[in-house]
Amino acid sequence: MINKRKVIVIGAGGHAKVVADIILKSGDELVGFLDDNTALPSQIIGYPYLGKIKHYEKYADECCFVIGIGSNSIRKKIAENMNANWYTAIHPSAQIAIDTVISEGTVVMANAVINTSAVIGKHCIINTCAVIEHDNIIGDYVHISPNVSLCGNVKIGDLTHIGAGATIKNNISICDDVIVGAGGIVVKNIKDNGVYIGVPVNRMDVK
Ligand SMILES: CC(C)(COP(=O)(O)OP(=O)(O)OC[C@H]1O[C@@H](n2cnc3c(N)ncnc32)[C@H](O)[C@@H]1OP(=O)(O)O)[C@@H](O)C(=O)NCCC(=O)NCCS
């Protein structure tokens, strides 16, 4: 029998609770939550609030960690400041092809599909019902929101956020630090960072 892993979630908001649910559904042990908001209740979905993130070292020998925070830049900052064993959370209902690479700390949510030869970087979020088609290359600290469709051979740079329901045409590259707004359709490569919205997307004016 495979031993249960003991897992602590960094963060304690809505996204963290979804990550916690994946840990439990995977048959692993949810030890609790670390978060810098000390006004949190003592229990979150029935599991303990363990204190500030800096206290992680107390648990580091026996636990692994996953960051349950939606902001890409905050996940990056936390990951770079912790010397930890990272847990990769994959919901049992996700459909993952046998030859995909999913790097440490990444979270794959319910009903996501990741198809053959895709490579997913570290500490990404592949959210509920997202479709990552064959041969996609996804950087680190990326968030692919619920119901996004990435067609075949798409490349997504580090720290990029693809908003809910967006569609990215096959063979498209999107550079680092881009936000594609919810519902956007991307039909041309995006080479400059910024926020892109619409059908097809255009760059939003900088305020
Ligand atoms: C694109 C986005 C980042 C812009 O956020 P923002 O800078 O706060 O923009 P605002 O809400 O101030 O809207 C500014 C304008 O853009 C429009 N707009 C905002 N988001 C849009 C979108 N996705 N598509 C089309 N237009 C959009 C607004 O209607 C508004 O138009 P107006 O100036 O004519 O009134 C945000 O709306 C978005 O889509 N985020 C993705 C959210 C998401 O998918 N989350 C998933 C979590 S799991």
Side-chain angles (χ1 to χ4, degrees), residues 2-19:
I2 298 167
N3 286 338
K4 282 185 173 199
R5 298 182 74 192
K6 289 170 172 269
V7 192
I8 292 177
V9 179
I10 308 292
H15 177 63
K17 290 191 288 182
V18 181
V19 174

Side-chain angles (χ1 to χ4, degrees), residues 15 70 109 125 127-128 143-146 148 161-166 179-184 195-199 204-205 207:
H15 177 63
M109 295 195 167
I125 303 168
N127 221 314
T128 311
H143 182 181
I144 307 295
S145 297
V148 165
H161 177 198
I162 309 295
I179 297 174
V180 172
V195 180
Y196 293 78
I197 56 170
V199 180
M204 268 176 105
D205 293 338
K207 287 172 191 166

